[in-house]
Amino acid sequence: MNKTGIIILAAGPSTRLGKPKQLLVHHGKTLIEHICSEALQADLHPVLVVTGAASDQVSKALEGKAVEIIFNERWKNGMASGIAAGLSELLKADNGIESVIIAVCDQPFVSADLFKQLIKTKGEGKKGMVGCAYAGIIGTPVLFGKAYFGKLLALKGNEGAKKILKTNSADLAGIPFEEGNIDIDTLEDYKQLISSIR
């Protein structure tokens, strides 16, 4: 059985956008609904959504979905606190977890197949981490094996998991995800996304 959970980081205040990016609609679903649906389709368990800014609205958008919502009281401290909040909850709930995927909610082209590919690549290889390759980097979503849980919990401030990828690059595999560099930070990004599907 697949013992991979997922932590979806959805706590940011979307300062550059001016409204919660988690609730932007693409293909008839909000971005947060989309990534949760894909995670559930990929049989990831548990699916944890870490909220902060706009927590009530994000939680409302996910009513009735088989996801667990974790409110990160320290969301203003940066991304590391969200990773720690999600992972602490994950480990409390199920000690049989072998790996965890860290994902963000503003990559509209993330799919269940992509999540499955991360798990498959981890299972086939000898690397402790598997990330997505795009725009010359390896980034989110990223799967971390159990050996990295301590390092994830030790992140501070606005450090994302990229620090761990850099310092342990010999233990990192990449899978292609060309559309991974499309993320929504500004209204311009969103307009471009919408116009590309018309």
Side-chain angles (χ1 to χ4, degrees):
M1 193 182 145
N2 174 18
K3 296 267 182 144
T4 303
I6 184 169
I7 296 165
I8 298 166
L9 301 172
S14 311
T15 316
R16 286 163 65 194
L17 187 74
K19 56 183 173 181
K21 64 167 84 171
Q22 303 92 321
L23 305 175
L24 293 175
V25 174
H26 179 235
H27 283 318
K29 280 182 183 169
T30 61
L31 292 181
I32 192 65
E33 283 176 289
H34 165 74
I35 193 164
C36 289
S37 296
E38 298 302 314
L40 292 166
Q41 270 183 52
D43 284 333
L44 297 173
H45 183 77
V47 176
L48 298 181
V49 179
V50 179
T51 65
S55 175
D56 291 349
Q57 292 158 279
V58 173
S59 302
K60 198 163 192 275
L62 295 173
E63 267 174 14
K65 284 205 183 296
V67 303
E68 202 176 322
I69 293 166
I70 313 298
F71 175 64
N72 174 25
E73 290 175 2
R74 296 181 301 125
W75 65 267
K76 286 181 182 168
N77 295 357
M79 198 182 278
S81 67
I83 292 171
L87 189 53
S88 303
E89 195 62 37
L90 188 87
L91 296 175
K92 222 189 314 180
D94 182 355
N95 293 319
I97 288 286
E98 292 299 324
S99 48
V100 65
I101 293 172
I102 307 272
V104 291
C105 68
D106 66 347
Q107 288 176 301
F109 295 103
V110 163
S111 66
D113 284 344
L114 186 74
F115 291 141
K116 286 176 185 172
Q117 190 61 46
L118 287 170
I119 295 163
K120 185 168 178 259
T121 304
K122 170 80 167 66
E124 290 170 349
K126 303 217 170 4
K127 304 288 188 189
M129 302 176 289
V130 185
C132 293
Y134 48 86
I137 62 152
I138 292 188
T140 53
V142 185
L143 184 148
F144 291 90
K146 211 174 186 172
Y148 287 94
F149 288 1
K151 285 186 168 71
L152 287 166
L153 289 169
L155 289 169
K156 296 273 178 270
N158 225 2
E159 285 177 340
K162 277 189 181 143
K163 181 190 177 186
I164 298 172
L165 304 185
K166 273 185 191 160
T167 50
N168 302 275
S169 58
D171 197 26
L172 173 63
I175 62 165
F177 176 33
E178 280 175 30
E179 292 168 310
N181 66 325
I182 298 169
D183 61 3
I184 312 302
D185 286 323
T186 64
L187 200 51
E188 206 44 58
D189 293 340
Y190 182 53
K191 283 178 182 166
Q192 220 170 336
L193 176 71
I194 297 304
S195 64
S196 70
I197 59 173
R198 283 199 177 134

